[in-house]
Amino acid sequence: ADAGKMEVARGKKKGKRGAEEIDKIAVEFLLGMMQARDDDIRAVKNNKPALNKLRMLPEVVTMIHKRDFRETLLRNRLLAIVKTWLDPMAGGILPNQSIRTQLLEVLETFPVNEDWIDWLRSSDGLGKVIHFLAENDPHPPNARLAKKLMDSWSKVLFEQSSEHQMNRHMEYEQVQIDPTKKRKQIGEASLIGLEDKATAELRKKREQYLQGRMKHRAMRPEPVPMNFKKMPKST
C-alpha cells in the first residue's frame, strides 16, 4: 500500500514538473517571437532586409501545431504576438507573403468556440488585422482565407453576444445600479503598448523561473472589446 502511495506521489510530482517545463518552453518561445519582430522593425528602419520572422516561421508553425502547448501559449498571449507578426511594417508594408499565409493557415486549425472568442477578445486587435488582410491582402488565397476566418469568428461572436443580450434583458428588472459606485480607474500601465506589455510579462516570468520562484498557474488574460471595422495600426 505504501509503495502504491509513493508511486502516485511520484507521478503527481512528475506531472507538475511537466507542466512547469511546458510553461518555461512556451515563455522562451514567445519571447523569441517578440525578439524576431523587434529585430525586423529595426532592420526596416535601417533599410536592411527584415528576415528574422521569416527565419523563425517554421519553428512557430511547428510549435503552435503542438496540441500539448496550445493552452499554455494562449494563456501567455500567443494571439497578441501573432497579431504583431501580421501587423504592417513602417510605411504600411505587409509582412512577407509566406508569414501571412502560414499564420492564417495555423489560425484556421484552432477550434472556434466560446473559449476561442475569449482568447480572441484578449488579443489586442488580431481581428482587426485579419479583417484588414481579408480586404487588402494582394495574394487572393490569403484574402479568401482571412475572409473565411472572419466569417467563422464573427458567427460565434454574434451568437454569443445575442445570448448575452437575451440574458441581460431577462435579468434587467432584477439589476440595480448603485450611482455612488466609482468606476474602475485606468492606470498608466494600460497606456503601454500591448507588445511591450506582453514582452515585459514574459521576461518577468522567465526571470521568476530562473530564480526558482515560478509556480504554474492557469490564468486567462483580461478580455478587451473586439472591433473588426478599423485598419490596424502599424507597429
Side-chain angles (χ1 to χ4, degrees), residues 40-53:
D40 275 358
I41 290 176
R42 281 190 286 269
V44 170
K45 288 182 178 179
N46 293 323
N47 296 316
K48 295 181 179 180
L51 301 175
N52 298 280
K53 293 197 300 291

Side-chain angles (χ1 to χ4, degrees), residues 83 86-88 125 128-132 230-234:
K83 183 258 184 188
L86 290 172
D87 269 339
K128 295 178 185 179
V129 179
I130 301 304
H131 182 259
F132 175 72
K230 296 180 180 180
M231 174 179 173
K233 293 181 180 180
S234 177

Side-chain angles (χ1 to χ4, degrees), residues 100 209 211:
R100 304 196 310 273
Y209 274 131
Q211 295 176 2

